[in-house]
Amino acid sequence: MTVTADRFEIDLRTGERVEIVVPEGVPLVFNIASIGERGYAFMIDVIWIAIIGVAIYVLALGLTVLGGEFAGAFGLLASFVLRNGWFVFFELRTQGRTPGKRKGGVRVIDSRGGPLQP
């Protein structure tokens, strides 16, 4: 018995598809996300990063007012880690989905169709 991609033909989404054959020999068919879906997911992530970033800066400003000498450095370092670690953390820990990708129905997979590995 062979498995074909015919069962995936009934799909309301339009777009390019890619078929990946896993090591077990089973073909998996995935829809490639459109630029609109990717943009929507990215904007949600940017909004979350901005909200958390503002909270970090308010915290750093509060620490500076209270006499913290290194509060500014803390704010810059925390902001750097937030902006650069957001996508790495979520895509590795939550099966290739950041909060924006989860909301937009998009997922990142590796070249074999599985979850991302470090």
Side-chain angles (χ1 to χ4, degrees):
M1 179 174 140
T2 60
V3 178
T4 63
D6 293 340
R7 63 189 171 119
F8 295 103
E9 292 303 319
I10 302 172
D11 191 2
L12 300 176
R13 294 175 58 181
T14 58
E16 187 177 345
R17 295 181 182 180
V18 64
E19 182 176 304
I20 298 172
V21 179
V22 295
E24 291 81 12
V26 178
L28 300 176
V29 178
F30 296 100
N31 291 324
I32 297 178
S34 69
I35 189 100
E37 291 170 325
R38 293 176 196 207
Y40 175 73
F42 181 70
M43 288 307 300
I44 291 174
D45 288 330
V46 166
I47 290 169
W48 274 108
I49 291 170
I51 290 170
I52 296 170
V54 166
I56 288 171
Y57 281 121
V58 167
L59 177 65
L61 182 62
L63 292 175
T64 303
V65 170
L66 295 175
E69 296 178 13
F70 299 106
F74 164 75
L76 286 174
L77 180 63
S79 175
F80 173 80
V81 170
L82 174 67
R83 287 181 292 147
N84 291 300
W86 179 268
F87 295 99
V88 173
F89 175 78
F90 279 108
E91 288 175 2
L92 289 177
R93 301 289 288 177
T94 61
Q95 298 177 348
R97 292 183 167 196
T98 61
K101 288 181 178 130
R102 187 174 295 118
K103 180 77 172 163
V106 179
R107 187 171 76 112
V108 178
I109 58 173
D110 69 358
S111 61
R112 296 168 305 192
L116 295 178
Q117 300 294 323

